[in-house]
Amino acid sequence: MIHTTSNMAENYYLGLDLSTQQLKCTLINENHDIVLEEAINFDKDLSEFGTVHGAIVDDNVVTSPTLMWVKALDLLLTRLKDSPYVGSIRGISGAGQQHGSVYWNKEGLEQLSNLDPTKSMYEQLDNAFSIQQSPIWQDASTTTECRALEKSVGGAEALAKLTGSKAYERFTGNQIAKIYHNNRKAYDETARIGLVSSLLSSLLLGKFGPVDAAEGSGTNMMDINSHKWDSKLLKQCGGDELQEKLAEEPVEGGEALGKISGYLVKRYGFNANCRVMPFTGDNSATLVSMNLSEGDCVVSLGTSDTVLVYLKKGAAEPTTESHLMAHPTDPEGFMGMLCYKNGSLAREYIRNSYANGSWDEFNEYLINKEAMAEGNIGFYYWMQEIIPFAKGIYRFEDSKAVEEFKDKTINVKAIVESQFMSMRIRLERMGGNSIKRILASGGAAANPNILQLLSNVLGLPVYRQQGMNGASLGGALLAKFGTVKNASFEDMMAQHPSAGLELICKPDLEKTKQYISHVGQFTDLEKKIVQ
Ligand code: ADP
Ligand code: XUL
C-alpha cells in the first residue's frame, strides 16, 4: 500500500477499478492529490479461484468467477480499514472491465440487503448468483447471437446507428442472449442482471445498483442518443422478461445512487454519510482521469489496448469498426473507442517466447532492431482479435508469408509496430487528423520504450499522468463529482489544476515517414489474413 501523511480534517474520495487482472483503488483528497493506491491481484492474492490473468479460458469461452470479485472487495476493504482515511471518505465511485455480466438470484438480493457485519461478503453471498462464472470481455463465443441481433434491426450499420456499435461477441446483450437460448433454467432463476461495474456499486449500496449510460453503451441494447434501453433489442436478447431483470434505465454519471450500506459502516468504519455514485467502464473512467482538451487522444495499454477520444455533440458518427459510447460526465457528449483484445497479454507472450520473459531484453530489441523498415511485418492475434476479427500469428517478409522471422528477435519489434500501425490506420479512418498529442495510460505505459515506438508510429508526442492507474483515479474523480453541487466536471477540475501531464517522448519524424510509407502494404496484408 502506498500512502502519504494525512490531514484528517480533509475529505477523501475513493475510486475502485475492477479490471481483468486486479481490483485496484485510488484515494484522492479535496485537491485531487493521490494519497493512497492499493491493488488485489486475482492470480496471486486469490489463487484458490484458479484464474490465469484473472480469467478462465476455454477456447472462445472466457469467464471469471463472480465470487472472486466479491472476495477481492472484502480483501481490499480489509486492507483499507488499516489506513487512517476510511471514516473521512465522502464519496465512492469507480469502474469495471466493460461488458462482463453478473446474474443475481432472488435469495442473493435478499442476502445482500441483510448482510451480517461479523462475516465477509464472500461467506454470505456464496449462493447469490444464478451463473457462477461471469462471461467477460475476452469472450468470443456469441457470433450466432450477434448476427441474429443485427438481422433483427436490418444489419450491422443499423445496429451501430442505434446503439453506437455493430454487434460484438463480448457485448452484454449477446452474452445474455446466449444464456437465454442455451441455459434457460439459470436465466429463469436470475432476478437481476448487472455488469462488473454495477456489481461494485451494488455491493457498496447493499442493494442492486443500476448501470451508467456509458456502460449501457457496451451492451448493444441501449439507444445511444436517448440513453434508454431499446425494447426491441431487449426482447431479441432476453425475451419480454429482460426489462425487469435489468430493473432500471441507465443513469447519468454524477448522480448519487445512495448512501453506503450499514454493513460496510459497521464492518469497516465508513462514514454513514458516504455516498455511492454510479460506476462506469474502465475505459470511460480512464478518459475521465485525463480530463481531455481538444486534440487529445488517450491510448490505454492495459490487458486490452484501447484508443479513446472525447467527441462533442454533433461530432460523433457511429462506424462498424469503432465504438461510440455515452460520455461518463457529459450527457450530451460521446467517447469514441477502438478496442484490441491482443494488448499486454500478447506482448507478454512474445516477451516470454523471444526475450526470456524480461521487459529489459524486450526493450533492447525495441531500440536495436528494425522490423517493418526491413520488410518484416507481423500480425499477432494470440486470442481471437476484435479489430480485425481474426485469430492466429502471421508473419511476412517482403509481403511473402513465412513461418517465423529468421532473426527471432524481430518478433519483439514487429508485434509492437503492428499494434501501433493498426491504431494509426484506424484513427485516421475515425477522422483523427486533428489529434495533437497522445495521453498514455495502463500497465504498459510504465515502459518508456514502448511509448517511444507509439510516438514514432503515430508521429505525436506522448504524455503520461501521475499515479499507477487511470481508471481508479477516474473513479475517485467521479466520486468527488457526485458530491459537488451545480458545477460541471470541467469546472470541478479547473478549481484544482493537476500537477499536469509529463511529456515522456517526442516522435522521431523520419521514422514516422517510414511507417507511413508502409501503410498500404500493412493494410493489404491484413486484408489477406481476414479473408
Ligand atoms: P488491467 O487491464 O487489468 O487494468 P493493467 O492496466 O494493470 O491491466 O496492465 C497490466 C499489464 O501491464 C500486464 O499484463 C503487463 O503485461 C503490462 N505491463 C506492466 N509493466 C510493464 C512493462 N514494464 N512493460 C510492458 N508491459 C508492462
Ligand atoms: C472495451 C473492452 C476492454 C475491457 C477491459 O470494449 O472490452 O477494454 O473494458 O479493459
Side-chain angles (χ1 to χ4, degrees):
M1 186 185 299
I2 299 175
H3 64 83
T4 57
T5 48
S6 70
N7 164 9
M8 289 333 302
E10 272 210 82
N11 294 317
Y12 295 92
Y13 304 91
L14 179 65
L16 304 174
D17 172 27
L18 210 177
S19 69
T20 318
Q21 305 191 55
Q22 303 157 74
L23 171 64
K24 301 173 243 186
C25 81
T26 300
L27 189 72
I28 58 169
N29 63 13
E30 203 68 60
N31 301 327
H32 308 177
D33 303 317
I34 295 175
V35 293
L36 180 153
E37 290 184 307
E38 175 64 271
I40 306 293
N41 181 291
F42 302 139
D43 295 1
K44 290 198 199 108
D45 297 319
L46 295 168
S47 57
E48 64 273 28
F49 290 94
T51 58
V52 177
H53 301 301
I56 309 275
V57 181
D58 179 4
D59 196 16
N60 275 339
V61 177
V62 187
T63 60
S64 293
T66 315
L67 269 176
M68 175 180 80
W69 295 331
V70 174
K71 198 167 183 183
L73 184 61
D74 282 327
L75 203 54
L76 186 78
L77 295 180
T78 306
R79 289 192 193 168
L80 273 185
K81 191 174 179 229
D82 296 333
S83 80
Y85 309 104
V86 179
S88 311
I89 296 175
R90 282 192 64 203
I92 310 181
S93 182
Q97 46 169 301
Q98 294 186 257
H99 321 294
S101 40
V102 170
Y103 300 80
W104 290 92
N105 60 31
K106 194 161 160 284
E107 297 70 36
L109 292 168
E110 275 158 24
Q111 190 65 47
L112 176 65
S113 55
N114 289 298
L115 291 171
D116 170 357
T118 64
K119 294 186 191 146
S120 68
M121 290 186 277
Y122 169 69
E123 284 171 274
Q124 300 178 76
L125 294 174
D126 60 341
N127 288 315
F129 305 105
S130 47
I131 303 267
Q132 307 291 314
Q133 294 291 125
S134 284
I136 67 162
W137 68 277
Q138 289 168 316
D139 185 276
S141 67
T142 65
T143 304
T144 310
E145 289 77 10
C146 286
R147 294 298 81 78
L149 190 65
E150 287 173 347
K151 195 161 167 240
S152 75
V153 293
E157 281 81 11
L159 188 63
K161 215 163 181 271
L162 182 57
T163 69
S165 297
K166 71 173 187 188
Y168 285 93
E169 279 72 5
R170 69 193 192 286
F171 274 45
T172 323
N174 306 304
Q175 294 294 336
I176 293 173
K178 183 178 146 195
I179 294 170
Y180 179 62
H181 291 297
N182 303 338
N183 194 356
R184 186 63 67 89
K185 185 170 173 291
Y187 187 76
D188 290 343
E189 283 166 10
T190 302
R192 291 283 180 265
I193 302 177
L195 299 190
V196 178
S197 48
S198 67
L199 170 69
L200 286 182
S201 51
S202 303
L203 293 173
L204 293 169
L205 287 164
K207 63 175 189 196
F208 184 76
V211 299
D212 84 336
E215 281 289 79
S217 19
T219 64
N220 272 152
M221 300 190 296
M222 189 192 82
D223 182 318
I224 187 65
N225 291 306
S226 69
H227 296 181
K228 301 255 184 283
W229 300 122
D230 180 281
S231 53
K232 251 187 341 298
L233 295 172
L234 291 192
K235 193 165 177 179
Q236 174 69 26
C237 292
D240 287 327
E241 56 272 50
L242 182 53
Q243 181 98 48
E244 199 192 328
K245 292 186 200 294
L246 296 170
E248 284 181 54
E249 294 293 345
V251 294
E252 301 302 327
E255 290 173 8
L257 298 177
K259 290 188 181 168
I260 194 163
S261 76
Y263 165 82
L264 294 173
V265 172
K266 292 197 194 94
R267 188 168 169 87
Y268 297 105
F270 280 98
N271 189 311
N273 288 320
C274 171
R275 289 180 189 276
V276 179
M277 317 306 165
F279 276 53
T280 193
D282 52 358
N283 291 299
S284 317
T286 300
L287 188 86
V288 164
S289 76
M290 302 282 192
N291 190 30
L292 305 197
S293 311
E294 207 161 344
D296 287 345
C297 169
V298 177
V299 174
S300 170
L301 304 170
T303 309
S304 58
D305 283 350
T306 58
V307 178
L308 315 170
V309 285
Y310 181 3
L311 302 168
K312 301 270 180 182
K313 194 179 177 188
E317 259 320 300
T319 78
T320 51
E321 193 169 57
S322 59
H323 307 296
L324 199 59
M325 305 199 139
H327 191 280
T329 60
D330 170 8
E332 307 261 277
F334 298 92
M335 175 176 84
M337 176 167 78
L338 297 170
C339 176
Y340 297 91
K341 199 184 289 181
N342 291 287
S344 283
L345 298 185
R347 285 188 288 273
E348 273 181 36
Y349 170 71
I350 292 296
R351 179 202 63 182
N352 296 344
S353 310
Y354 299 104
N356 291 312
S358 147
W359 286 125
D360 288 341
E361 199 170 323
F362 187 94
N363 282 348
E364 247 176 64
Y365 305 151
L366 287 187
I367 300 176
N368 297 331
K369 296 283 171 185
E370 286 304 336
M372 205 168 290
E374 312 237 319
N376 304 302
I377 296 183
F379 297 88
Y380 297 82
Y381 311 129
W382 182 60
M383 293 179 93
Q384 173 69 56
E385 185 46 71
I386 300 163
I387 314 172
F389 193 75
K391 194 170 182 176
I393 293 181
Y394 307 86
R395 300 172 178 95
F396 298 89
E397 275 175 12
D398 298 325
S399 291
K400 273 196 234 66
V402 292
E403 246 335 276
E404 217 171 12
F405 292 127
K406 277 180 219 102
D407 178 349
K408 290 188 183 166
T409 60
I410 298 280
N411 281 287
V412 167
K413 183 92 175 202
I415 183 176
V416 187
E417 284 183 339
S418 176
Q419 290 175 324
F420 296 156
M421 273 296 267
S422 177
M423 288 181 189
R424 179 184 176 97
I425 291 164
R426 267 79 197 197
L427 252 178
E428 256 170 36
R429 285 187 204 152
M430 273 169 82
N433 295 339
S434 56
I435 293 169
K436 303 272 181 304
R437 59 179 190 172
I438 300 296
L439 314 182
S441 171
N447 186 324
N449 295 34
I450 289 182
L451 295 190
Q452 183 63 60
L453 196 50
L454 176 68
S455 180
N456 291 349
V457 175
L458 295 181
L460 293 165
V462 174
Y463 292 76
R464 203 173 47 196
Q465 200 186 31
Q466 64 158 343
M468 297 193 297
N469 180 31
S472 59
L473 173 60
L477 293 167
L478 285 172
K480 185 174 176 208
F481 182 48
T483 67
V484 297
K485 300 262 176 305
N486 306 322
S488 69
F489 184 77
E490 279 80 9
D491 294 340
M492 179 188 98
M493 295 301 281
Q495 279 185 0
H496 300 285
S498 71
L501 295 156
E502 187 191 355
L503 175 66
I504 304 296
C505 43
K506 290 187 182 160
D508 175 338
L509 292 173
E510 278 311 306
K511 295 216 160 122
T512 308
K513 263 196 221 150
Q514 271 276 356
Y515 287 117
I516 294 173
S517 74
H518 284 97
V519 164
Q521 188 191 13
F522 184 92
T523 314
D524 290 345
L525 292 175
E526 195 193 72
K527 273 195 202 129
K528 264 196 202 170
I529 293 166
V530 179
Q531 271 159 18

